[in-house]
Amino acid sequence: MKKLPYEWLEEIINLAAEWVVAVDRDAKVIFMNTAYCEYLGTTQQEAFGKDVRDVIENTRMHIVLQTARAEIASIHTIKGSEMIANRYPFYVNGELVGAVGAVMFRNAEEWMAYSNKVQPLMEELNYYKKRFANELKSKYSFEDLIGTTESFIEAKQLAARASTSQSVVLLTGKSGTGKELFAHAIHGASTRSVFPFVRVNSASIPEQLLESELFGYEEGALTGAKKGGKKGKFELAHRGTIFLDEIGDMPLAMQSKLLRVLQEKEIERVGGQGTAPVDVRVIAATHRNLEEMVKQGKFREDLYYRLNVMKIDIPSLMERKQDIPAIAAVLLRKLEKNFDRPVINLSKEVESRLLLHTWPGNVRELENVLERAVNVMDGSVIRLDHLPLYLQEEPSQEAGIRSVKTPVAVMPLKYTLQKAEKEAIQHALCQSANKTEAARLLGIGKTKLYDKCREYGL
């Protein structure tokens, strides 16, 4: 700094900041750059040595000296124009010797121009921060698990006990029973709740990509790989919980690699030369019979026993029909918010019909049925004609015995075909190991099968 000419130093200050003033311990001006002087209609010689209050209108430099506290982004009015200024106490060798002030924005227009440039960036940053936070935390608690049936209460109590341990949890039950909600609740009540909750659907990720999704990859390991590599789901879940949904659909080759992670608590990225430790609690879920798959050689026996530490079987909706009104009420409250609708109720006729249905799609099917009804209804009460056709035409049951109305109404052909189509899809799904095989049996494409499953709430 001693080698830097004074003229250079002053020019650097003029270029680096708009207007700058420095005062000594007695609030006397000891420096004011040329731009500030020109705006105030004075010169550096005239301002030097004067009390800053006699030079700058509405100044607070003397107050900063009294309080020894900085004032950041303070509004300062000069000549009727509101400016944004920063003021700092100035220390040398630990001793307060003065203060320095700088005008950052000379008028509202400058501030707005700056804000217009920065605001979109801040909004984008906040969007991704919120999205990242929402995706990596549990959304449901045990209060969201609705039911009073004994088998459901037992499952809920076992899940609550599981949340206090670090053991692997295996959630079993038919599709749509709420296995993911249980996983959320277990993580949310555990000591890992402040750390990430990462979800992975083993059935939805192509086999050739599953390893890199779970364990990540190093730079150059894959065609089109991200520069610097990419973290896998296990690394993202470090110190938290990873939820492996549809574990029964995981390829055998990946099962052996998953077993190693569970045993050694370390992962190796695709293309990596070494391993990295991970501290992750695993919750797995499946609607398949893993014991039968082990006998058939479709699931590794050693992995099954490694996962089957705390097994929680979630009952189907058919097994707890008495919970349907309470579950429907909760789902309707959710739909009221999503659709910005007033209070929505079920008619007695609809409630009775819901209790008669077998619900192969379980709670997911019930939610789809109610959402469909809300979309087509006009008032605030869901009536029978608001339900899907396959529910409108369903015969009643008395004491578990299916009774037939007399006379039996003739259904239009397209409704009969829809009902037959749904039953055929249900049968194919029950006879298949996965949706790809079910689509092959039905002679349709996998995409079309997914569309039909959504249409019928399967």
Side-chain angles (χ1 to χ4, degrees), residues 381-399:
V381 178
I382 296 178
R383 302 189 307 272
L384 194 60
D385 59 324
H386 296 144
L387 299 180
L389 295 173
Y390 70 89
L391 279 175
Q392 292 183 31
E393 302 298 334
E394 188 167 351
S396 62
Q397 298 178 23
E398 292 292 336

Side-chain angles (χ1 to χ4, degrees), residues 216-404:
Y217 57 78
E218 296 291 353
E219 182 176 349
L222 303 171
T223 303
K226 183 179 179 182
K227 186 176 181 180
K230 179 185 176 183
K231 287 184 177 182
K233 301 296 187 181
F234 271 90
E235 286 184 87
L236 291 175
H238 183 59
R239 300 185 70 185
T241 303
I242 189 167
F243 174 53
L244 301 176
D245 198 9
E246 301 296 352
I247 192 74
D249 292 316
M250 182 174 286
L252 281 169
M254 280 304 304
Q255 291 178 25
S256 62
K257 294 180 180 181
L258 174 61
L259 178 63
R260 174 179 171 80
V261 174
L262 294 177
Q263 290 176 337
E264 306 298 332
K265 299 188 183 302
E266 60 184 23
I267 58 100
E268 181 178 343
R269 288 186 178 185
V270 176
Q273 300 300 317
T275 60
V278 289
D279 174 18
V280 177
R281 199 247 182 111
V282 173
I283 300 178
T286 183
H287 69 282
R288 303 194 181 284
N289 187 329
L290 294 186
E291 291 93 338
E292 190 62 33
M293 291 182 69
V294 168
K295 293 177 183 178
Q296 297 172 1
K298 295 180 180 180
F299 199 85
R300 288 183 63 106
E301 184 177 17
D302 46 5
L303 177 59
Y304 170 68
Y305 289 119
R306 190 67 183 82
L307 293 173
N308 194 24
V309 179
M310 295 193 71
K311 183 179 179 182
I312 303 173
D313 188 36
I314 304 171
S316 67
L317 200 54
M318 181 67 178
E319 298 173 86
R320 56 188 193 105
K321 282 194 171 186
Q322 69 186 58
D323 294 334
I324 289 178
I327 296 173
V330 172
L331 294 175
L332 286 176
R333 301 297 83 79
K334 175 183 173 183
L335 291 170
E336 287 167 1
K337 293 180 181 178
N338 293 344
F339 287 83
D340 193 23
R341 300 284 294 267
V343 177
I344 302 173
N345 294 306
L346 300 176
S347 68
K348 292 295 183 182
E349 188 179 20
V350 167
E351 188 170 316
S352 298
R353 182 55 54 87
L354 297 183
L355 291 171
L356 294 176
H357 186 52
T358 56
W359 299 109
N362 293 290
V363 179
R364 186 181 294 119
E365 181 185 1
L366 175 59
E367 184 172 13
N368 290 343
V369 165
L370 294 177
E371 183 173 347
R372 190 262 187 195
V374 172
N375 271 296
V376 301
M377 65 185 291
D378 296 321
S380 60
V381 178
I382 296 178
R383 302 189 307 272
L384 194 60
D385 59 324
H386 296 144
L387 299 180
L389 295 173
Y390 70 89
L391 279 175
Q392 292 183 31
E393 302 298 334
E394 188 167 351
S396 62
Q397 298 178 23
E398 292 292 336
I401 301 174
R402 184 177 295 269
S403 62
V404 181

Side-chain angles (χ1 to χ4, degrees), residues 42-335:
T42 186
T43 64
Q44 289 180 313
Q45 291 77 16
E46 290 176 353
F48 183 80
K50 287 186 177 180
D51 189 301
V52 69
R53 285 166 286 190
D54 296 330
V55 180
I56 303 176
E57 179 184 357
N58 298 318
T59 185
R60 290 179 54 85
M61 296 293 288
H62 59 294
I63 297 176
V64 172
L65 290 169
Q66 294 170 7
T67 63
R69 295 177 63 182
E71 296 182 354
I72 309 299
S74 176
I75 297 177
H76 186 175
T77 303
I78 303 179
K79 296 183 178 181
S81 179
E82 292 185 338
M83 307 175 183
I84 306 295
N86 293 336
R87 307 181 188 94
Y88 305 92
F90 190 28
Y91 290 86
V92 175
N93 296 326
E95 181 183 355
L96 180 65
V97 296
V100 62
V103 174
M104 306 305 296
F105 303 102
R106 293 171 292 185
N107 49 54
E109 288 73 19
E110 282 189 2
W111 164 247
M112 289 303 296
Y114 176 80
S115 179
N116 289 337
K117 290 180 181 179
V118 174
Q119 191 63 27
L121 298 176
M122 293 301 298
E123 290 177 354
E124 185 176 3
L125 177 62
N126 289 331
Y127 167 77
Y128 284 111
K129 284 174 65 178
K130 289 179 180 177
R131 178 179 172 183
F132 182 77
N134 289 334
E135 290 180 352
L136 297 182
K137 70 177 183 180
S138 56
K139 299 178 182 178
Y140 307 101
S141 67
F142 283 107
E143 293 180 357
D144 297 307
L145 304 178
I146 308 301
T148 57
T149 305
E150 184 178 353
S151 59
F152 185 79
I153 291 177
E154 289 177 356
K156 189 173 176 180
Q157 289 173 342
L158 184 55
R161 285 196 292 272
S163 68
T164 63
S165 78
Q166 301 297 322
S167 299
V168 176
V169 176
L170 178 61
L171 301 171
T172 61
K174 295 182 179 179
S175 295
T177 51
K179 295 185 290 294
E180 184 170 337
L181 269 68
F182 269 79
H184 277 273
I186 293 170
H187 172 75
S190 73
T191 56
R192 296 176 178 264
S193 60
V194 296
F195 299 106
F197 176 78
V198 178
R199 292 161 287 173
V200 181
N201 189 313
S202 306
S204 65
I205 303 175
E207 182 175 348
Q208 62 272 22
L209 297 178
L210 187 56
E211 182 177 3
S212 61
E213 280 294 310
L214 288 176
F215 309 129
Y217 57 78
E218 296 291 353
E219 182 176 349
L222 303 171
T223 303
K226 183 179 179 182
K227 186 176 181 180
K230 179 185 176 183
K231 287 184 177 182
K233 301 296 187 181
F234 271 90
E235 286 184 87
L236 291 175
H238 183 59
R239 300 185 70 185
T241 303
I242 189 167
F243 174 53
L244 301 176
D245 198 9
E246 301 296 352
I247 192 74
D249 292 316
M250 182 174 286
L252 281 169
M254 280 304 304
Q255 291 178 25
S256 62
K257 294 180 180 181
L258 174 61
L259 178 63
R260 174 179 171 80
V261 174
L262 294 177
Q263 290 176 337
E264 306 298 332
K265 299 188 183 302
E266 60 184 23
I267 58 100
E268 181 178 343
R269 288 186 178 185
V270 176
Q273 300 300 317
T275 60
V278 289
D279 174 18
V280 177
R281 199 247 182 111
V282 173
I283 300 178
T286 183
H287 69 282
R288 303 194 181 284
N289 187 329
L290 294 186
E291 291 93 338
E292 190 62 33
M293 291 182 69
V294 168
K295 293 177 183 178
Q296 297 172 1
K298 295 180 180 180
F299 199 85
R300 288 183 63 106
E301 184 177 17
D302 46 5
L303 177 59
Y304 170 68
Y305 289 119
R306 190 67 183 82
L307 293 173
N308 194 24
V309 179
M310 295 193 71
K311 183 179 179 182
I312 303 173
D313 188 36
I314 304 171
S316 67
L317 200 54
M318 181 67 178
E319 298 173 86
R320 56 188 193 105
K321 282 194 171 186
Q322 69 186 58
D323 294 334
I324 289 178
I327 296 173
V330 172
L331 294 175
L332 286 176
R333 301 297 83 79
K334 175 183 173 183
L335 291 170

